[in-house]
């Protein structure tokens, strides 16, 4: 019950207080970056462990994915670029 309450409370408070509480602008900007930081924290260890003997392959695949995402802003293209680079170098 305690774990359910601890999980439920942070999810419902923003809904209950939504329009009444205004956050400072710097905090709103910071909170908008949290999903990107979490995604990076999930992806980066995988990049380094693509091939434990040759971590540079994963790093180059990550760079290719980042470059493709930056240029075309398309997830599928970024994913394909990473797969292609890792496949060619492996």
């Amino acid at each position: 019950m305690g774990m359910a309450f601890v999980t439920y409370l942070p999810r419902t408070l923003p809904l209950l207080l939504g329009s009444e509480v205004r956050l400072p602008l710097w905090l709103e900007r910071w909170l908008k970056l949290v999903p990107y930081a979490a995604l990076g924290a999930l992806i980066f260890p995988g990049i380094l462990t693509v091939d434990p003997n040759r971590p540079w392959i994963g790093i180059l695949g990550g760079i290719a994915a980042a470059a493709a995402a930056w240029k075309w802003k398309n997830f599928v293209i970024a994913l394909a670029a990473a797969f292609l680079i890792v496949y060619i170098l492996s």
Side-chain angles (χ1 to χ4, degrees):
M1 283 302 283
M3 290 176 64
F5 179 73
V6 170
T7 302
Y8 182 74
L9 187 64
R11 294 172 190 235
T12 56
L13 280 179
L15 292 173
L16 297 174
L17 303 175
S19 61
E20 297 172 14
V21 177
R22 291 295 305 163
L23 298 174
L25 185 59
W26 65 269
L27 183 59
E28 284 185 23
R29 279 191 258 150
W30 185 80
L31 287 173
K32 287 181 182 178
L33 297 176
V34 169
Y36 300 111
L39 185 61
L42 291 171
I43 291 174
F44 191 69
I47 287 175
L48 296 178
T49 59
V50 167
D51 186 347
N53 297 326
R54 299 178 293 176
W56 55 272
I57 291 176
I59 293 170
L60 289 176
I63 291 171
W70 183 272
K71 179 163 177 63
W72 290 290
K73 295 175 179 48
N74 187 319
F75 175 75
V76 175
I77 293 173
L79 191 64
F83 279 141
L84 185 64
I85 292 296
V86 171
Y87 178 75
I88 290 171
L89 295 177
S90 292

